[in-house]
Amino acid sequence: MNESIRQLKELVEASDNIVFFGGAGVSTESGIPDFRSVDGLYNQKYAYPPERILSHSFFERNPEEYYRFHHDKLRLTGAKPNAAHLKLAEWERQGKLKAVITQNIDGLHQAAGSRNVIELHGTLLRSYCARCRKEYPYEIINDGTGVPRCGCGGVIRPDIVFYEEALNEDDLAAAVHYIREADMLIIGGTSLVVYPAAGLINYYRGDKLVLVNKGETSQDSYANLVIREKIGEVFSQL
């Protein structure tokens, strides 16, 4: 255990109101690709940029191309929680961690046992009709082919926040509350470039801000501790 991880361990042991804010890097060690790394989804070739495919207007205009991308790159394939997901769930059971705030849409935090998870960008584990809003099991968009349609004729969509769509106001309010009240804020696996989610950390008022990310972030200079390693490897030592 190196000195930085030892410091993190001591900070966690001395805290009882921890909030975790995480991004794609939390799930890459479970085999789920991120969007902005060298091998991420944004650096692979499609007829359209993935950021455009994942926009509300594109989904409405071209659901066929969206679902070609979805079935190729967003299909849930049984990925398992890694050491980071499992450790966070353990801290919650111990009463030390009060909330997980995630930008991920894969449901791995809940699969690990976390209960209070705020999914800022929604989840692939729910779907509904874009026209009548009838709810459907996720398998209809995960396991099928082509464009899934509701009995009303509307297109069924995943319950995720597309680009051009606003985040859920209740989720945002809850995230602000937990971050504001936290005595320790751990940010992991995110480059902190997607707003408004990344701006939430500005509500933290404590003095135990920890960043665990392979690359630099815009908030490194404000952190009390920065660890540039894979988060699963770090958490497996705590």
Side-chain angles (χ1 to χ4, degrees):
M1 182 184 297
N2 64 36
E3 182 57 31
S4 293
I5 296 177
R6 192 183 310 279
Q7 285 181 253
L8 175 55
K9 185 177 178 66
E10 291 174 354
L11 288 172
V12 169
E13 289 174 349
S15 304
D16 61 6
N17 190 349
I18 303 170
V19 170
F20 179 81
F21 179 91
V26 180
S27 292
T28 53
E29 289 170 85
S30 293
I32 296 177
D34 70 7
F35 281 74
R36 291 180 174 79
S37 69
V38 173
D39 298 317
L41 295 183
Y42 282 9
N43 290 287
Q44 299 178 22
K45 294 181 179 179
Y46 293 90
Y48 304 90
E51 191 168 27
R52 184 176 173 191
I53 295 173
L54 292 169
S55 69
H56 174 79
S57 57
F58 186 93
F59 178 83
E60 287 200 323
R61 290 195 310 267
N62 199 341
E64 293 81 8
E65 183 67 11
Y66 167 80
Y67 269 107
R68 188 178 76 82
F69 177 86
H70 183 106
H71 292 140
D72 188 27
K73 292 297 177 184
L74 297 180
R75 194 188 300 268
L76 296 174
T77 57
K80 302 297 183 184
N82 61 53
H85 300 104
L86 295 170
K87 181 58 68 173
L88 291 167
E90 177 185 320
W91 289 344
E92 184 182 35
R93 288 193 298 272
Q94 294 171 349
K96 297 179 72 64
L97 183 136
K98 305 306 180 185
V100 169
I101 302 166
T102 182
Q103 299 174 87
N104 295 339
I105 56 178
D106 50 49
L108 288 179
H109 285 293
Q110 290 92 331
S114 290
R115 298 172 63 87
N116 191 20
V117 182
I118 300 170
E119 297 172 307
L120 293 176
H121 295 159
T123 178
L124 291 170
L125 291 171
R126 295 189 302 266
S127 61
Y128 64 92
C129 173
R131 179 184 294 174
C132 73
R133 301 193 70 84
K134 179 181 177 180
E135 296 181 359
Y136 284 87
Y138 82 94
E139 288 88 353
I140 198 166
I141 62 170
N142 193 68
D143 301 338
T145 58
V147 178
R149 291 192 177 272
C150 176
C152 76
V155 176
I156 299 170
R157 56 163 287 175
D159 191 6
I160 61 175
V161 180
F162 285 128
Y163 288 100
E164 304 169 350
E165 294 180 333
L167 301 189
N168 180 281
E169 291 186 6
D170 290 339
D171 289 339
L172 280 173
V176 168
H177 166 75
Y178 283 111
I179 291 173
R180 193 177 266 158
E181 298 299 317
D183 67 352
M184 181 177 185
L185 176 61
I186 303 175
I187 299 171
T190 174
S191 53
L192 293 174
V193 297
V194 177
Y195 283 80
L200 290 173
I201 69 172
N202 295 324
Y203 291 96
Y204 179 59
R205 301 182 292 189
D207 58 1
K208 289 187 281 187
L209 174 61
V210 178
L211 292 176
V212 184
N213 194 55
K214 288 178 64 178
E216 295 183 16
T217 80
S218 60
Q219 301 296 315
D220 284 5
S221 61
Y222 300 102
N224 302 100
L225 178 62
V226 176
I227 301 176
R228 293 206 181 101
E229 299 181 38
K230 292 181 178 180
I231 189 166
E233 294 180 1
V234 171
F235 276 44
S236 68
Q237 300 177 61
L238 298 177

